[in-house]
Amino acid sequence: MNSVVLCFFLRRRAIMRIRKLRLLLEQYGDTTLRDIIVEIYRQLPRQVIEEKEFDAMLTQFMKYKDLQKEQEQPTVEQTIAQTERFVQLAYDLQYLEPNPIVPLREQKNWYITAKRLLKHLRHYAHRKNGTRIAFEEFFFLLSSAAGEEPLFLSNDPFRLLKVSQVDFFQELVGYYKNDSHGVEWMDRALYTALKVPMDVDTERSDLLLAVLAHCEKAEHQEAYINCLNMHAKKLQSHVRIDADALSTYQEIRFAELHALISLRALERAETMLFTEYIPYFSHRSTPFRYYLDLLERAGLEQEHERMARVGRKKRIHF
């Protein structure tokens, strides 16, 4: 009984030191300790009870402790195997529909398992390529659940894990970069950014710009611009008949303009603005305003003023 009560206290942020807590518990009998447990349980929020798995602690304490030790930091092989199993079960809708494999409680608390797996994947990702592959599969799974098809009982998987799709993807791009020589990683990263399903809080350009954040050198930024231009040209023949293709094209050109401004290639940026970006909007004012915002955020006040004059001369309302 003492060990159960102690575990409750230690799991919460006890303001007293552990040694003092142990001494304090020694003075209580079993009946009082039972009352303490019930009162603690009554005061705990339901979310805390579920996240910390207090019900499992009370019903099977020794099994719970063994599981906690195993989950504190599994081996890299165990981490990969657990992640692969979780991903496969999710794609098989085992976290969505009633089934004998995944209990209802685990279905409801899928994000708790996901948080734990993500923590372990990050622990090994810088050292093991297999873990980075599992990390990528994990990202694809959450993106599919967020923007393509329901795979869990709750929506907004990235919010539940308290990580944005953009931050998750930027971390993944870093692993792509570590595994590659030269700029090969960029092709993979941009392809992923353009194809992966989108979370409701994410724009396609957000993912494209997450790739740009890893382009520290000018040569990498030039390669980035060239890759984007290639993808944009592939879409040009479809933009007049496919709304999704048009939207993606606009997002690509926006990211390309962002990169050109970062390089301070302002003449190229201005040419692209009027030949490859503005013509693909129904109103000139919207893309022109986007461009002025980019200049302002880059701290290019003189160029911002000059382009504002150009816009007024062309009678663009912004």
Side-chain angles (χ1 to χ4, degrees):
M1 177 63 71
N2 283 12
S3 58
V4 174
V5 176
L6 179 60
C7 199
F8 262 114
F9 273 100
L10 296 182
R11 287 288 173 182
R12 307 298 293 157
R13 285 185 177 173
I15 59 175
M16 62 183 70
R17 298 178 68 86
I18 293 176
R19 183 179 177 184
K20 184 177 180 181
L21 178 59
R22 291 182 185 275
L23 292 173
L24 179 63
L25 293 176
E26 290 294 330
Q27 66 182 327
Y28 296 120
D30 286 351
T31 301
T32 304
L33 290 175
R34 289 193 193 95
D35 293 340
I36 290 174
I37 291 174
V38 171
E39 188 58 31
I40 291 174
Y41 191 87
R42 182 181 290 119
Q43 296 296 327
L44 288 175
R46 170 52 56 183
Q47 183 177 357
V48 173
I49 292 173
E50 292 177 352
E51 287 186 0
K52 300 301 181 182
E53 299 180 341
F54 283 141
D55 288 341
M57 182 197 302
L58 289 170
T59 55
Q60 294 178 304
F61 183 71
M62 295 310 298
K63 182 179 179 181
Y64 170 85
K65 291 296 291 181
D66 291 340
L67 184 61
Q68 289 296 106
K69 289 179 182 179
E70 179 183 330
Q71 291 180 351
E72 282 177 5
Q73 191 55 63
T75 66
V76 61
E77 291 79 12
Q78 290 172 330
T79 297
I80 294 172
Q82 290 171 9
T83 304
E84 290 176 346
R85 181 178 184 274
F86 177 80
V87 169
Q88 190 57 56
L89 287 173
Y91 280 131
D92 291 341
L93 305 182
Q94 301 297 307
Y95 281 95
L96 186 63
E97 300 174 350
N99 65 88
I101 301 175
V102 181
L104 179 59
R105 178 185 296 276
E106 190 175 340
Q107 287 181 335
K108 291 181 178 178
N109 297 332
W110 69 268
Y111 61 93
I112 299 174
T113 303
K115 282 182 181 179
R116 173 174 54 80
L117 290 173
L118 181 57
K119 174 185 174 183
H120 299 327
L121 286 171
R122 283 172 168 159
H123 179 78
Y124 290 115
H126 291 285
R127 290 176 281 172
K128 292 286 187 177
N129 184 51
T131 316
R132 292 195 286 273
I133 293 173
F135 188 93
E136 180 184 46
E137 289 299 321
F138 201 68
F139 171 74
F140 289 155
L141 172 71
L142 296 179
S143 297
S144 295
E148 194 170 60
E149 58 179 325
L151 297 174
F152 303 104
L153 291 177
S154 48
N155 297 321
D156 298 326
F158 289 103
R159 286 186 184 179
L160 282 173
L161 268 62
K162 297 182 180 178
V163 58
S164 71
Q165 186 181 28
V166 176
D167 289 342
F168 203 133
F169 178 65
Q170 189 160 338
E171 191 174 350
L172 176 61
V173 174
Y175 299 143
Y176 287 164
K177 193 174 180 182
N178 290 339
D179 290 338
S180 172
H181 299 290
V183 293
E184 293 87 354
W185 61 272
M186 198 179 300
D187 291 332
R188 185 178 180 184
L190 288 175
Y191 182 84
T192 301
L194 290 169
K195 299 299 182 182
V196 72
M198 306 297 298
D199 180 62
V200 293
D201 296 324
T202 306
E203 300 289 343
R204 185 73 62 186
S205 58
D206 294 333
L207 297 184
L208 295 173
L209 292 175
V211 181
L212 179 61
H214 285 275
C215 299
E216 294 92 356
K217 299 178 182 178
E219 61 192 79
H220 288 168
Q221 293 176 12
E222 284 289 358
Y224 174 85
I225 292 169
N226 291 335
C227 286
L228 285 180
N229 188 47
M230 178 190 68
H231 284 291
K233 287 188 177 301
K234 288 180 179 178
L235 287 171
Q236 273 183 323
S237 61
H238 303 285
V239 297
R240 301 301 182 188
I241 57 175
D242 187 333
D244 290 337
L246 175 60
S247 177
T248 301
Y249 177 88
Q250 292 170 344
E251 300 271 14
I252 291 173
R253 290 304 190 189
F254 177 81
E256 198 171 344
L257 285 170
H258 197 294
L260 286 168
I261 290 173
S262 296
L263 278 172
R264 299 301 189 259
L266 300 180
E267 288 186 14
R268 291 165 60 190
E270 183 178 348
T271 299
M272 174 178 290
L273 173 68
F274 288 112
T275 60
E276 304 289 352
Y277 192 51
I278 287 180
Y280 292 88
F281 284 81
S282 57
H283 300 286
R284 296 185 300 169
S285 58
T286 299
F288 191 77
R289 192 162 53 246
Y290 288 163
Y291 186 72
L292 290 180
D293 289 343
L294 287 176
L295 292 174
E296 185 175 16
R297 276 184 275 170
L300 298 172
E301 295 180 5
Q302 291 184 347
E303 182 66 11
H304 182 278
E305 292 174 2
R306 188 187 74 80
M307 286 302 299
R309 291 195 297 271
V310 170
R312 286 190 288 269
K313 187 175 180 180
K314 290 179 178 291
R315 297 185 179 181
I316 300 174
H317 300 286
F318 55 91

